[in-house]
Amino acid sequence: MENLTVLGQRWFKILNLILWIALTGLIVACQSPASVANTSSVPGAQSPTPMNGPRLNGDATVVLTVNDRPITIVVNGQDAPYTAGNFVDLVERGVYDGTIFHRVIRSPQPFVAQGGDPQSKDPNVNPQAYGTGSFVDPATGKPRYIPLEILPQGATEPVYSKTFKSAGISQPPKLSHTRGAVAMARSQMPDSASAQFYIALGDVQFLDGDYAVFGYVTAGLDAVDQIQQGDKLQSAKVTTGLENLQK
């Protein structure tokens, strides 16, 4: 009976978390109405062609420095080539240096640490606007968005621009939202991810099939556990695998 009680309490906490996320519109998205409207107004934002963006043909290693502590991420270009390529390209451009972790959720259950909004390093931007920004490509002067890209287990090609539910896929993704997973944040539109990313602070597999995981923290999870909302991402560096980036 005691074990059933503990199990019931655990499920109650998980259901409360899901309900709380739904009510606040969090679900790891650039969730403000303004950002959703801006994304939908950009031509092609809802259906970008995967071949138009950077691609990672293999793996790469990225080291984030937060609170003077390193966090090592292995970026998976085998299973998420365009999502991984976008991230490595932005790291190499220095887009993430000085950005803020603007959303860190640990209660009632460990959820995510989200950051990477390019506008968060601009002192003239109101912190309340953090989480609504995208990467603006200097070559075009327009935001760059990438398609939702998730590879089902047993498949040879990722599903693009659709959640698993909307695509009628029942099997789980190959890259799951286990603790330490790194994935792209987006608005309600599948193809609205740009620069913002999040690190899973616990096993949050209820996000599987809806958001694109592209790598995992392989060292420095203790540093991830210490990240507080408002902490700065001091630097992001590609340490290996940059030769796999195809622009």
Side-chain angles (χ1 to χ4, degrees):
M1 181 64 70
E2 182 178 354
N3 289 338
L4 289 176
T5 301
V6 172
L7 182 61
Q9 290 174 344
R10 186 173 302 167
W11 275 108
F12 180 74
K13 289 180 179 180
I14 293 173
L15 289 173
N16 274 345
L17 175 62
I18 296 172
L19 178 60
W20 180 78
I21 291 168
L23 290 175
T24 58
L26 182 66
I27 307 285
V28 207
C30 313
Q31 87 287 13
S32 82
S35 70
V36 172
N38 288 342
T39 300
S40 64
S41 68
V42 177
Q46 295 189 39
S47 55
T49 303
M51 285 67 73
N52 285 344
R55 177 188 175 102
L56 189 67
N57 299 314
D59 290 348
T61 304
V62 170
V63 176
L64 311 181
T65 301
V66 183
N67 296 322
D68 297 322
R69 302 181 67 184
I71 299 168
T72 302
I73 299 170
V74 173
V75 182
N76 187 332
Q78 298 284 348
D79 300 321
Y82 294 101
T83 311
N86 176 72
F87 182 76
V88 171
D89 178 58
L90 295 182
V91 170
E92 181 63 15
R93 290 171 180 262
V95 169
Y96 292 124
D97 296 349
T99 54
I100 302 296
F101 282 93
H102 61 272
R103 183 176 296 112
V104 179
I105 307 296
R106 290 193 172 89
S107 178
Q109 292 288 324
F111 186 41
V112 302
Q114 181 179 335
D117 184 345
Q119 67 178 351
S120 68
K121 58 183 176 181
D122 185 345
N124 297 317
V125 173
N126 189 323
Q128 292 184 348
Y130 295 171
T132 65
S134 302
F135 166 66
V136 177
D137 191 334
T140 64
K142 298 178 180 180
R144 184 173 83 190
Y145 299 101
I146 60 173
L148 181 63
E149 175 186 53
I150 309 176
L151 178 67
Q153 283 187 10
T156 57
E157 294 291 335
V159 172
Y160 286 100
S161 302
K162 292 183 178 181
T163 65
F164 276 18
K165 182 178 180 180
S166 64
I169 296 173
S170 57
Q171 64 261 48
K174 185 173 181 181
L175 304 180
S176 181
H177 281 81
T178 54
R179 171 170 154 79
V182 187
M184 293 303 292
R186 62 174 179 82
S187 73
Q188 293 180 349
M189 292 176 294
D191 295 338
S192 57
S194 179
Q196 294 181 52
F197 67 94
Y198 59 90
I199 303 174
L201 300 178
D203 294 338
V204 288
Q205 280 105 332
F206 57 85
L207 297 179
D208 283 356
D210 287 324
Y211 298 87
V213 174
F214 60 87
Y216 293 90
V217 174
T218 57
L221 268 175
D222 54 340
V224 173
D225 288 338
Q226 298 302 313
I227 294 175
Q228 301 296 319
Q229 189 160 308
D231 283 351
K232 182 177 292 187
L233 201 173
Q234 294 161 284
S235 67
K237 304 294 181 185
V238 183
T239 58
T240 66
L242 186 59
E243 68 277 6
N244 294 328
L245 180 63
Q246 174 186 328
K247 295 193 176 183

